[in-house]
């Protein structure tokens, strides 16, 4: 029997998101989420998409990732999709930080595990959780190929001029300080899907991808290769996000330490969790912010304006980085759903060849679609992202037996 299934695992510190796909057509067989691992109130939500039956929920304590994955395996087995099936070709793991070492998806062995571990100082919250997921899955199916797909990999093609900060080179290198970028799986998928929407190959087009979710990042992609991205050493740099500040003068941090008496950890929390939209107006959900704007709420209006101002600066910057732009693609929760953000982001940019058609922009649709007026110099598109499918595709390309 040909093994055509791939299980994608995205392991967080207290959660595991998963999806099982059939790579013959990329269809979803099952998906789910285990939350609050290690607490009394853990919850497993499992949706057996192939079986067409409804979502099942299991609540009660799930002690650790090992127990979580075993519970997931149990639910999959109930639908005849058990992890012991010969149809399972591989497990693909999302790994947040691959440093400079991992430029491509990589089959995991002990050496690779050790290298991901060596990168923990660069992603102290994410890489340990990703590693736990990998170790647990390997223990469960030691014979099965497991592949790490890195959030940073797509950005490793950035030239040094974009990847380096202008600080002392020895200090930067000693501490591995450089711009790595994140959301790479999404930027890779969306830039390729945008080329496809234009009916051209990725090598032929220059695309600006705007991944606007709760986390947000922009990238400039020339001929299928990333040449700049807005997140840096960590996901804090760049656009205004749901709870992160994005760009700010680094001296703000010294000021908060010296004058505000705050510790490094307090400032870390402030900038990552209590800034961005939530810091500006108390809400980080764009739906709620738009509702408040429509009601005349001034703080929500200001938050929206600051968000859009930063976004426009990056669009302009990446037009300059690329020289010629074929398409601007909006993706993720805000990018795919918030028409007012898209409209405001390109308003008045006709000089750069950018415009949206009001009706096309307001229309709701599922797949990739153009929202620029017919004949526009630059295509503006909404291109839904699918990070799980991209991880599965990259995993399967590496290990799939295509006989
Ligand atoms: P993501 O991180 O890609 O899941 O995006 C989550 C964010 O998308 C939420 O915090 C909302 O701000 C935004 N979002 C989701 N649905 C909508 C919608 N229908 N309209 C506006 N914003 C949305």
């Amino acid at each position: 029997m040909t093994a055509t299934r791939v299980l994608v695992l995205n392991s967080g510190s207290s959660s595991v998101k998963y999806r099982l796909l059939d790579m013959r057509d990329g269809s979803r067989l099952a998906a789910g989420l285990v939350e609050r691992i290690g607490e009394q109130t853990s919850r497993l939500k499992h949706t057996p998409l192939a079986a067409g039956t409804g979502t099942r929920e299991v609540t009660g304590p799930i002690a650790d990732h090992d127990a979580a994955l075993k519970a997931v395996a149990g639910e999959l087995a109930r639908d005849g999709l058990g992890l012991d099936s010969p149809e399972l070709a591989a497990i693909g793991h999302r790994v947040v930080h691959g440093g400079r070492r991992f430029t491509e998806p990589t089959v995991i062995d002990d050496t690779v595990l050790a290298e991901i571990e060596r990168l923990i100082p660069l992603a102290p919250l994410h890489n340990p959780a990703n590693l736990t997921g990998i170790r647990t899955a390997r223990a469960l199916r030691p014979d099965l190929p497991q592949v790490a797909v890195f959030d940073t990999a797509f950005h490793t093609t950035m030239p040094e001029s974009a990847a380096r900060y202008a600080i002392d080179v020895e200090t930067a290198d000693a501490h591995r300080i450089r711009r790595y970028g994140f959301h790479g799986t999404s930027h890779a998928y969306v830039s390729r899907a945008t080329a496809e929407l234009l009916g051209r190959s990725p090598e032929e087009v220059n695309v600006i991808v705007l991944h606007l979710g709760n986390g947000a990042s922009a990238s400039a992609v020339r001929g299928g290769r990333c040449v700049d991205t807005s997140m840096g050493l960590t996901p804090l740099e760049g656009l205004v996000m749901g709870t992160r500040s994005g760009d700010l003068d680094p001296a703000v941090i010294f000021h908060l330490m010296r004058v505000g008496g705050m510790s490094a950890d307090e400032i870390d929390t402030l900038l990552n969790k209590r800034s961005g939209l939530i810091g500006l107006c108390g809400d980080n959900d764009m739906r709620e912010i738009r509702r408040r704007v429509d009601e005349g709420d001034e703080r929500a209006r200001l938050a929206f304006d600051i968000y859009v101002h930063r976004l426009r600066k990056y669009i302009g910057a990446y037009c300059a980085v690329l020289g010629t732009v074929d398409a601007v693609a909006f993706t993720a929760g805000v990018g795919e759903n918030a028409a007012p953000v898209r409209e405001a982001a390109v308003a008045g940019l006709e000089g750069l060849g950018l415009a949206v058609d009001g009706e096309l922009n307001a229309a709701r649709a599922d797949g990739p679609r153009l929202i620029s007026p017919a004949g526009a110099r630059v295509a503006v598109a909404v291109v839904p992202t699918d990070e799980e499918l991209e991880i599965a595709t990259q995993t399967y390309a590496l290990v799939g037996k295509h006989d």
Side-chain angles (χ1 to χ4, degrees), residues 31 69 117 171:
L69 204 56
E117 207 163 344
T171 306

Side-chain angles (χ1 to χ4, degrees), residues 5-61:
R5 290 180 192 156
V6 172
L7 177 69
V8 175
L9 289 181
N10 182 351
S11 308
S13 54
S14 65
S15 69
V16 177
K17 252 204 247 169
Y18 62 94
R19 193 193 287 178
L20 183 69
L21 299 101
D22 186 337
M23 297 317 292
R24 281 174 298 191
D25 56 2
S27 62
R28 305 169 186 193
L29 301 172
L33 171 68
V34 190
E35 292 173 292
R36 299 195 288 273
I37 296 172
E39 294 178 33
Q40 290 302 310
T41 56
S42 318
R43 181 172 64 170
L44 164 60
K45 253 174 136 176
H46 175 83
T47 309
L49 297 152
T53 51
T55 297
R56 299 197 290 269
E57 251 189 62
V58 185
T59 47

